[in-house]
Amino acid sequence: MSGFILLICFIIAIIIMILMIAKFKVHPFLALMSISFLLALIAGIDLTKIPTIIGDGFSGTFKTIGIVIIFGAIIGTVLEKTGAALKLADLVVRIVGQKNPELAMLIMGWIVGIPVFCDSGFVVLNPIREAIYKKISANPVGMAVALSAGLYAAHVFIPPTPGPIAAAGAVGLGNNLLLVIGLGIVVSIPVLIASYFFARYTSKTVHIEENTCDEILIKNYDDLIKQYGQLPNTFLSLAPIFIPITLMALGSIIKIVGFTGSFAILISFLGNPIIALATGVIFAILLLVNTKKISEFDTITNETLKIVGPILFITAAGGVLGKVITEAGFVEYIKQNAQVISTAGIFFPFIISAILKTAQGSSTVAIITTASIMGMFNVGDSLMSALELTSEIAAALTVMAISSGAMCVSHANDSYYWVVTNFTKLTPQQGYRTQTALTFIMGVVGILTVYLLSLILL
């Protein structure tokens, strides 16, 4: 099959996959697997090789990043269930103060959103937002936009949330999550600044009825604290997140400096993402003990695995699609036309991710699928290679570009859109003026930041 026909087949396959997920409500796992199989048949791949290709693409994901996703999700769930997420939020409010409610919400959401899913993070932190705006008579809409932005930026840019972890593994950075975390923090800062000014703007332009404001004040902050009992201490609230990051940082330093000896071997071992996050889980268990909720650990683990399971399977199915794309010769066609296609550079994964996000609604699915299509930076037959993104820093920037695209845009087919609008009591029209416009701004600022960084770093 000629390269051009293969390219057309690939585009049609992506369109069909989007329709299956967005219009016909087929689960992304089944959509990815079926499209992978059909694309393999149409591309003329030897029938005897297809089962092996599917098996290799599927198992490769679990081998590289599956355990890390599970550990990261367990940490996030424990922080949510023990009230440690609230403790982190409380710290932010104390530091920033109540005179800057939008800034407080933005930073609070960003910190809590690193380990906690943005949907559940908004639900957990929303009562704090309500209590603050009632106390200081601030516009609840601007505060909701800021909270949504902080949570969303951390959700798509910074591991250990599953999307960026899976993307890191797919592009070959499974053993260098610290680079992705660091770059995620850097890219999210301009995004957060733009979001803050947009939140301030919406505080002046978008309002909800006063009686509606009163209806949603179900509980104040004190009532929320009572719901969790006594909040954990500051160290145990921070430890499950920051100790793994510290260990990974030390492991990277040892690797870069080239230290040898028993101590260096120990630090390298502890700095491996799997071991570092396992250490985070240990501190999460200590957090459960401290809050007298250790008896709930089995339930929390089961709940987490139910949430993470579909993500893992979607990630693995994305790996299958990436493997089929490679075996079909699509990457080879890209390489033959590299002068034309490589001009898109870092914008190529952004566009693919943005199309997937807008069409089917899930940022995680968009991130995982796009990263799987891109392939690993250190493999010669991948799209990363075809686009000349062949270094670790290029791979990390690619993850950031994919994540930026996965923001554009949150609208009616996205569960997060409905969480934000319903808890804020916005009409759908107001939701498009706030949440949808916000995520478009965040995505555009994100990719522009990535592009500027690529000019400096690549």
Side-chain angles (χ1 to χ4, degrees):
M1 182 180 292
S2 70
F4 180 74
I5 298 298
L6 192 61
L7 179 61
I8 297 298
C9 289
F10 170 72
I11 294 172
I12 293 173
I14 296 298
I15 293 171
I16 293 173
M17 182 184 68
I18 291 171
L19 288 174
M20 290 174 70
I21 297 172
K23 185 174 180 59
F24 300 108
K25 308 302 179 184
V26 177
H27 193 280
F29 170 76
L30 294 177
L32 281 163
M33 291 297 290
S34 57
I35 286 298
S36 299
F37 182 71
L38 289 174
L39 190 59
L41 291 176
I42 293 172
I45 295 176
D46 189 337
L47 292 177
T48 60
K49 292 183 178 179
I50 292 178
T52 302
I53 291 170
I54 292 175
D56 290 344
F58 193 87
S59 63
T61 299
F62 287 96
K63 192 166 57 178
T64 55
I65 208 70
I67 297 173
V68 173
I69 291 176
I70 292 171
F71 283 166
I74 289 174
I75 291 170
T77 305
V78 170
L79 291 178
E80 180 184 345
K81 298 294 185 182
T82 58
L86 283 180
K87 183 69 174 184
L88 297 177
D90 192 36
L91 286 172
V92 172
V93 173
R94 289 182 189 176
I95 294 169
V96 178
Q98 295 183 359
K99 293 183 179 179
N100 301 289
E102 292 90 0
L103 182 59
M105 291 295 109
L106 188 76
I107 298 174
M108 182 191 305
W110 184 70
I111 291 175
V112 173
I114 292 173
V116 178
F117 275 81
C118 56
D119 302 66
S120 57
F122 195 93
V123 174
V124 169
L125 298 179
N126 188 59
I128 301 177
R129 176 189 69 88
E130 294 173 354
I132 292 175
Y133 89 68
K134 186 67 174 180
K135 184 175 182 179
I136 64 175
S137 300
N139 186 332
V141 178
M143 293 174 66
V145 169
L147 177 59
S148 169
L151 287 162
Y152 203 30
H155 180 76
V156 301
F157 285 126
I158 307 173
T161 45
I165 286 184
V171 301
L173 290 177
N175 289 322
N176 198 357
L177 282 181
L178 185 67
L179 177 60
V180 181
I181 292 171
L183 207 54
I185 292 172
V186 171
V187 173
S188 65
I189 290 173
V191 174
L192 292 174
I193 292 171
S195 301
Y196 171 72
F197 285 109
F198 182 74
R200 293 291 300 270
Y201 170 76
T202 57
S203 289
K204 299 175 183 177
T205 58
V206 182
H207 302 273
I208 56 178
E209 296 295 330
E210 188 64 35
N211 59 345
T212 305
C213 293
D214 293 335
E215 286 176 11
I216 61 178
L217 284 172
I218 300 172
K219 61 180 74 172
N220 60 29
Y221 182 69
D222 292 334
D223 293 332
L224 185 65
I225 297 299
K226 290 176 183 177
Q227 176 183 326
Y228 287 94
Q230 185 177 358
L231 292 184
N233 64 53
T234 302
F235 172 75
L236 285 177
S237 298
L238 294 170
I241 305 173
F242 290 103
I243 285 181
I245 291 175
T246 302
L247 290 173
M248 286 188 282
L250 291 173
S252 295
I253 292 170
I254 290 291
K255 182 179 178 181
I256 292 170
V257 176
F259 286 145
T260 57
S262 300
F263 180 73
I265 292 172
L266 176 62
I267 295 299
S268 297
F269 169 74
L270 293 174
N272 180 280
I274 292 177
I275 305 302
L277 282 168
T279 306
V281 172
I282 292 172
F283 278 95
I285 294 171
L286 294 176
L287 185 58
L288 287 170
V289 173
N290 177 257
T291 54
K292 298 179 173 59
K293 294 185 177 180
I294 189 62
S295 61
E296 300 178 22
F297 185 49
D298 181 61
T299 302
I300 287 172
T301 304
N302 284 330
E303 287 180 4
T304 303
L305 292 176
K306 288 178 183 177
I307 295 170
V308 172
I311 294 171
L312 287 172
F313 290 131
I314 293 169
T315 305
V320 173
L321 179 58
K323 192 75 172 176
V324 168
I325 288 170
T326 298
E327 294 292 332
F330 177 73
V331 174
E332 191 59 36
Y333 173 73
I334 294 288
K335 287 182 177 179
Q336 292 171 2
N337 297 271
Q339 284 189 329
V340 177
I341 298 174
S342 64
T343 56
I346 205 71
F347 288 96
F348 183 84
F350 168 80
I351 294 169
I352 297 295
S353 182
I355 292 171
L356 287 169
K357 162 63 182 176
T358 304
Q360 53 79 40
S362 169
S363 295
T364 302
V365 170
I367 291 172
I368 291 169
T369 304
T370 307
S372 300
I373 290 171
M374 294 301 296
M376 293 193 176
F377 78 93
N378 51 1
V379 175
D381 58 356
S382 68
L383 271 178
M384 294 285 285
S385 176
L387 293 170
E388 300 179 1
L389 301 169
T390 53
S391 65
E392 286 196 344
I393 192 66
L397 287 170
T398 300
V399 173
M400 295 301 107
I402 292 169
S403 298
S404 299
M407 288 179 161
C408 297
V409 290
S410 174
H411 61 102
N413 63 0
D414 180 9
S415 62
Y416 191 45
Y417 170 87
W418 294 111
V419 167
V420 174
T421 55
N422 286 338
F423 274 85
T424 314
K425 291 296 185 286
L426 295 170
T427 64
Q429 291 79 10
Q430 289 175 321
Y432 278 102
R433 290 174 57 194
T434 54
Q435 179 68 5
T436 303
L438 168 72
T439 52
F440 176 75
I441 292 169
M442 293 176 77
V444 171
V445 172
I447 187 58
L448 290 177
T449 303
V450 172
Y451 175 66
L452 291 175
L453 287 172
S454 71
L455 296 179
I456 298 170
L457 300 175
L458 298 183

